Amino acid sequence: QVLRMESEGGSVRPGGSLSLSCAASGVTYTTYCMGWFRQVEGKEREGVARIDSDGDTAYLDSVKGRFTISRDNAKNTLSLQMNNLEPEDSGVYFCAARATSYCSLRYSWWATDAVWGQGAQVTVSS
C-alpha cells in the first residue's frame, strides 16, 4: 500500500491558490477514509480535510469555504484545492488513507493506523 504525493507544494502570496494531489497504489482505496493533514515545526500534525468512501467531507474550521477535498475512485487519487490561502496555512501537507468506513478528522485517530504519503511544503507569504 503506497500513497505518492504527486504535487510538490509551493510558495504563494496570501490570497493565492495551490492544488495538491496524491496517488494511491497497491490497493484500491475506494472503501477507505482519506484525508489531508498539515504540520508546522514544533506542533502536532492536524487534520485539514477528510472524505469518506461515500464522498462525505469534513474540514478544519479555519479552512472551510476555502479548501476542497475530492477523490477520484476510478483513478485512485485524492486532491486538495486550496484557495484564498493565508499565512497560517503554511506547513508540510500530507495525504493519508485508512481502511475503515468510519472517517475522522482527528489526527489521534489517524496516528494509530494509516498509510501516509510523503510531505509537501506549502508556504504562504508576502
Side-chain angles (χ1 to χ4, degrees):
Q1 304 176 22
V2 176
L3 285 176
R4 185 182 71 254
M5 184 73 80
E6 294 190 315
S7 310
E8 296 182 351
S11 295
V12 297
R13 295 184 183 277
S17 297
L18 278 175
S19 179
L20 301 176
S21 64
C22 204
S25 61
V27 65
T28 301
Y29 286 83
T30 54
T31 60
Y32 281 47
C33 174
M34 302 189 78
W36 288 98
F37 298 78
R38 66 188 180 197
Q39 188 165 21
V40 177
E41 189 173 351
K43 294 188 177 180
E44 185 178 76
R45 196 170 296 186
E46 66 176 351
V48 174
R50 64 90 174 141
I51 184 168
D52 68 12
S53 58
D54 293 327
D56 182 63
T57 59
Y59 296 90
L60 182 68
D61 283 347
S62 64
V63 308
K64 286 180 180 177
R66 301 188 296 118
F67 288 16
T68 302
I69 186 173
S70 61
R71 64 193 296 167
D72 185 332
N73 288 336
K75 296 181 179 179
N76 237 10
T77 58
L78 177 72
S79 299
L80 183 69
Q81 177 64 42
M82 303 181 290
N83 298 327
N84 194 20
L85 283 159
E86 303 171 353
E88 293 74 22
D89 296 318
S90 298
V92 180
Y93 282 69
F94 299 86
C95 58
R98 187 167 173 183
T100 173
S101 57
Y102 175 76
C103 206
S104 174
L105 194 55
R106 291 180 296 107
Y107 172 66
S108 58
W109 179 79
W110 290 82
T112 57
D113 182 21
V115 177
W116 292 90
Q118 74 273 29
Q121 177 70 48
V122 171
T123 302
V124 185
S125 174
S126 56

